Amino acid sequence: MKNKVITGLLGFLVVLGMATPALADDFYGYTEGNETAHGETTLTTDQTDSHYVMSIPASAQIKFNALDTNIGNLVVSGNINGSKMVTVDVTGDNGVKGQGAFDNKGAKLPYTVTDGSKKLETLNVKADMINNGQSFTTPLHVNILQQDWNAAKSGQYTGHITFDANIADAQ
C-alpha cells in the first residue's frame, strides 16, 4: 500500500512538471474570436570587434645594381570601427623605420623602403579606406643607392623588413 502511494505521488509530480507553461517575458496578449495579438521583440548584438588582415610578400629577390626594386604589395582589408585605423610600422632589420641594411658576413648594404615615391615609415589605413569590402593596397619598393652598390663587398646579402600592424585611434 505504501509503495502504491509513493508511486502515485511520483506520477502526479511528473504530470505536474510537464504541465508547467512557459510564458514569454514582457508580452501580454488576450484575444477573443478572430482577433489578432501583436507582440514585438527587440534584438541587439554584442559589439563586433574591429578586425583586419594584412598581406605582405613572403620574400623577394633583388638584382645586383638594381636601384629601385618593386618587391610586391602591402594589402590591408577588414572592417574597423569608424573612430579607429590600422597603423603599419615598416622597419628594417637595424630597427630604423623605413630603412635598413642587408648583411653579408658583417658587410652592410643600406636600403630604403618606399611606396614607389616616398620613404615608407608608418602607414595609416583609416576605416573608410577598407570598410565595405574594400582593401587598401600600396606598392613596396626597396631602393639601394648606386654608391652603396659600388662599395658593396662581393657575396650574397640578406635582410628583413618587419611590418608591425595594430588598431589605433584615428587621427
Side-chain angles (χ1 to χ4, degrees), residues 98-170:
Q99 64 188 46
F102 297 114
D103 182 72
N104 174 17
K105 300 176 187 166
K108 301 295 182 186
L109 179 61
Y111 65 86
T112 303
V113 181
T114 72
D115 63 3
S117 60
K118 66 182 182 314
K119 188 175 181 180
L120 192 56
E121 296 178 349
T122 299
L123 184 65
N124 294 321
V125 181
K126 296 185 178 177
D128 62 350
M129 299 165 85
I130 63 171
N131 287 353
N132 302 318
Q134 304 172 73
S135 62
F136 175 81
T137 302
T138 191
L140 297 170
H141 291 252
V142 171
N143 297 112
I144 301 172
L145 299 174
Q146 186 62 58
Q147 66 193 31
D148 293 327
W149 276 121
N150 294 343
K153 293 183 180 178
S154 64
Q156 186 175 32
Y157 288 79
T158 59
H160 299 90
I161 301 170
T162 303
F163 300 88
D164 291 317
N166 62 56
I167 296 176
D169 291 330

Side-chain angles (χ1 to χ4, degrees), residues 40-96:
E40 189 173 287
T41 300
T42 301
L43 303 172
T44 58
T45 65
D46 290 338
Q47 181 171 335
T48 304
D49 291 333
S50 295
H51 59 278
Y52 65 92
V53 174
M54 178 178 66
S55 300
I56 57 172
S59 64
Q61 183 70 34
I62 297 175
K63 301 276 187 200
F64 175 68
N65 269 337
L67 303 180
D68 181 26
T69 303
N70 183 327
I71 62 168
N73 293 319
L74 182 146
V75 180
V76 179
S77 60
N79 188 358
I80 57 174
N81 182 307
S83 66
K84 302 289 184 182
M85 67 181 176
V86 177
T87 63
V88 182
D89 290 331
V90 182
T91 309
D93 30 17
N94 59 358
V96 178

Side-chain angles (χ1 to χ4, degrees), residues 1-13:
M1 178 74 174
K2 190 176 185 181
N3 286 340
K4 287 183 181 181
V5 171
I6 292 175
T7 304
L9 284 174
L10 288 174
F12 175 74
L13 290 174

